[in-house]
Amino acid sequence: MKENRNRIFVVTVMVVLLLIGGGCVVLYGRNTKKTGHIRKMGQRSGKPSVVKEISETPIPSAASWSIARQSGRKEDFEAYFKRDLDAYTKERSAPKGKMKKIHYYSRVIGEKREVYVYTPPQYSKDKKYPVLYLLHGIGCDGSQWISMKADNVLDNMIADGECVPCVVVCPSITPKKNKRTTQAISPENIEAYEKFDRELTEDLIPFINSHYNVSDKRKDTAIAGLSMGGMESLLVGLSHLDLFNYIGSFSAAPSLDTFLMKFKNHSIKPKLLLLCSGTSDSTVGDIPEGYHNILAENRVDHIWYLYPDGGHSYEVWLSGLINFLQRMKDDFLRFGKIESRFVSVAVNNMPRAIDLLHMTYAQQSIIGSGGYMPEDVRDVQEIMASGKWNLEHIITHEFPLVELDRAIRTASDIDHAGNVIVEMKG
């Protein structure tokens, strides 16, 4: 019976009400049918008001997520994919990770190669981290993502609970030193991308695995890139599905062997495949949309969106990176059922000092917030607006704080999900 329910994707949506004034945490559960990719968003910093929490609620003209995830419409971009890029790239007082340029020897290329590696705040040698290989565009090098403040994005998203701490590797896909040219689209630069598949799999990945505390498991490994790097991430990711479970492609360049996108010879598929591009991109034109169409025609599960008025530019690429990282988070956390999702809502105006996301996922630190689906927030908003919510009515299980793990397991049980209160008494 349970397997049947899993097949039809019956999931439990848990709306989390954080009642600071009352000194308790309430997990309100309800069953719903999954209609598309489960979206999980972390709260941005700011006052803990209901208005702040529902800023991503879809506008009336937006489609449901099951449609919007591939529609390419402006209304759906506004509802589900739009992000405040200034807030993500701004340097804040949040804990900082380290971005460092190092070198490794490539037997494929025959010389030392540079690579930029980001390690998250409080990087520890006592744990294994997920890893993302992040590729640049042709004519550039690994520092391109740094110039777009990707390290600030990672710091801020990790601090806000929107991204799990991970190691990010930005290689430089460039010709040998004696063949480098200032011309971006050159035979030498194109050759560097043609050789990168082998350089990555035979040289760079083994180097990273041996020098950094990263997981070597497929479920913890991602690849993404912009422009030529976006095409390369599709090429490498789809050619090595035994290595990569997450693939992101932003403003992808042409020349990809599209047979790979038909998944004719693959028994496994990526957990996440996200593509995006700008509507005003005169460099790659409709090439990325063509890739999306091939995936859709072959019924390959993926996410596709268009950035309104976006060119072949950093706004589109940062948007892609942020959305990609947010949607990888669910699997990287690996807690409970993949189908579970959470929302935190403050019901008074007092500052909130609890990181419900970290507490929920049984981490040691308590600082931040959870994520939400827009439809979940609408439910919470209606409850708050009615003024008729009744704790005694919605609570069916009660646990002391020391039994928090048991409380969360009960609330996330697909067969017995109910309404749970955790007393926050010291």
Side-chain angles (χ1 to χ4, degrees):
M1 190 68 179
K2 182 183 294 186
E3 291 181 357
N4 289 336
R5 270 197 293 270
N6 285 335
R7 283 195 201 98
I8 63 173
F9 302 103
V10 177
V11 301
T12 298
V13 179
M14 295 193 295
V15 180
V16 181
L17 306 178
L18 181 57
L19 306 178
I20 298 174
C24 64
V25 175
V26 177
L27 283 77
Y28 165 69
R30 67 177 173 85
N31 287 332
T32 184
K33 286 188 177 181
K34 177 181 175 184
T35 57
H37 176 82
I38 291 176
R39 180 165 173 268
K40 217 176 194 184
M41 288 288 300
Q43 176 202 0
R44 301 298 297 163
S45 60
K47 296 181 179 179
S49 65
V50 172
V51 174
K52 182 68 176 179
E53 295 288 346
I54 63 169
S55 61
E56 295 287 337
T57 301
I59 55 179
S61 58
S64 65
W65 172 243
S66 59
I67 297 174
R69 65 200 303 274
Q70 292 181 11
S71 74
R73 299 194 321 148
K74 180 179 180 180
E75 294 86 352
D76 296 331
F77 170 83
E78 296 283 341
Y80 296 100
F81 300 104
K82 184 177 181 180
R83 302 290 180 265
D84 183 350
L85 300 184
D86 289 338
Y88 281 90
T89 56
K90 180 180 180 180
E91 185 171 355
R92 291 165 29 190
S93 58
K96 301 288 191 297
K98 294 181 180 179
M99 182 72 81
K100 185 178 180 180
K101 182 172 77 169
I102 61 172
H103 294 83
Y104 66 98
Y105 185 80
S106 170
R107 289 173 295 178
V108 171
I109 304 300
E111 66 179 17
K112 281 190 175 182
R113 307 284 277 170
E114 69 175 26
V115 59
Y116 295 81
V117 180
Y118 171 89
T119 50
Q122 299 178 339
Y123 173 76
S124 170
K125 294 183 178 180
D126 297 327
K127 61 186 295 187
K128 294 289 186 181
Y129 292 86
V131 59
L132 165 63
Y133 291 88
L134 194 57
L135 313 184
H136 61 80
I138 195 166
C140 300
D141 58 32
S143 67
Q144 184 179 21
W145 279 106
I146 302 173
S147 70
M148 293 188 288
K149 301 181 180 179
D151 49 345
N152 286 354
V153 170
L154 289 160
D155 289 342
N156 293 336
M157 292 184 69
I158 291 171
D160 290 345
E162 296 186 48
C163 171
V164 70
C166 57
V167 171
V168 179
V169 181
C170 301
S172 291
I173 311 174
T174 55
K176 292 185 69 170
K177 292 180 179 179
N178 61 355
K179 290 186 176 181
R180 293 180 187 174
T181 173
T182 57
Q183 182 181 356
I185 310 297
S186 66
E188 293 82 4
N189 282 331
I190 293 173
E191 182 184 24
Y193 279 87
E194 292 173 344
K195 291 183 177 181
F196 182 70
D197 184 311
R198 287 187 56 213
E199 182 182 1
L200 175 66
T201 57
E202 297 179 21
D203 297 325
L204 182 54
I205 290 179
F207 175 84
I208 294 297
N209 287 349
S210 63
H211 287 76
Y212 290 87
N213 277 34
V214 298
S215 169
D216 61 359
K217 299 183 183 302
R218 172 181 180 269
K219 63 181 181 179
D220 297 321
T221 307
I223 187 168
L226 66 89
S227 192
M228 193 70 165
M231 185 281 295
E232 191 75 11
S233 67
L234 290 173
L235 173 63
V236 175
L238 297 179
S239 298
H240 299 280
L241 287 170
D242 57 323
L243 299 179
F244 301 100
N245 201 27
Y246 311 86
I247 302 172
S249 177
F250 323 135
S251 307
S255 75
L256 176 67
D257 178 2
T258 55
F259 179 80
L260 291 169
M261 310 186 80
K262 299 179 181 180
F263 286 79
K264 298 299 183 183
N265 299 323
H266 299 303
S267 58
I268 54 176
K269 294 181 180 179
K271 183 68 178 179
L272 173 64
L273 178 55
L274 183 148
L275 295 81
C276 68
S277 189
T279 60
S280 300
D281 191 331
S282 59
T283 301
V284 297
D286 60 359
I287 294 296
E289 186 165 10
Y291 294 153
H292 151 66
N293 289 335
I294 294 172
L295 292 170
E297 289 166 5
N298 288 273
R299 299 183 179 181
V300 178
D301 186 41
H302 69 288
I303 296 174
W304 157 254
Y305 72 88
L306 284 168
Y307 191 108
D309 301 318
H312 203 66
S313 57
Y314 78 93
E315 296 93 346
V316 178
W317 305 330
L318 283 174
S319 168
L321 176 62
I322 293 166
N323 277 280
F324 185 65
L325 288 170
Q326 287 169 337
R327 285 164 175 80
M328 286 197 304
K329 183 182 68 174
D330 295 350
D331 271 1
F332 277 177
L333 286 173
R334 294 190 301 281
F335 175 87
K337 294 183 178 296
I338 294 300
E339 296 87 356
S340 295
R341 56 187 185 247
F342 295 84
V343 55
S344 63
V345 177
V347 296
N348 61 27
N349 292 323
M350 298 297 292
R352 189 166 62 208
I354 292 177
D355 182 341
L356 193 55
L357 179 70
H358 285 259
M359 185 172 70
T360 300
Y361 289 100
Q363 296 189 21
Q364 297 299 315
S365 58
I366 298 185
I367 50 170
S369 63
Y372 62 83
M373 286 284 287
E375 57 265 33
D376 301 337
V377 176
R378 280 200 298 271
D379 290 345
V380 177
Q381 185 185 24
E382 289 174 4
I383 293 173
M384 296 296 102
S386 70
K388 298 179 180 179
W389 48 278
N390 185 325
L391 285 181
E392 292 183 0
H393 174 71
I394 68 174
I395 294 171
T396 59
H397 299 76
E398 185 170 345
F399 300 88
L401 182 58
V402 293
E403 296 184 18
L404 178 61
D405 288 347
R406 182 180 165 213
I408 294 171
R409 286 197 300 272
T410 302
S412 61
D413 189 316
I414 200 166
D415 291 319
H416 305 99
N419 314 313
V420 177
I421 181 172
V422 180
E423 294 183 334
M424 300 294 287
K425 296 178 181 179

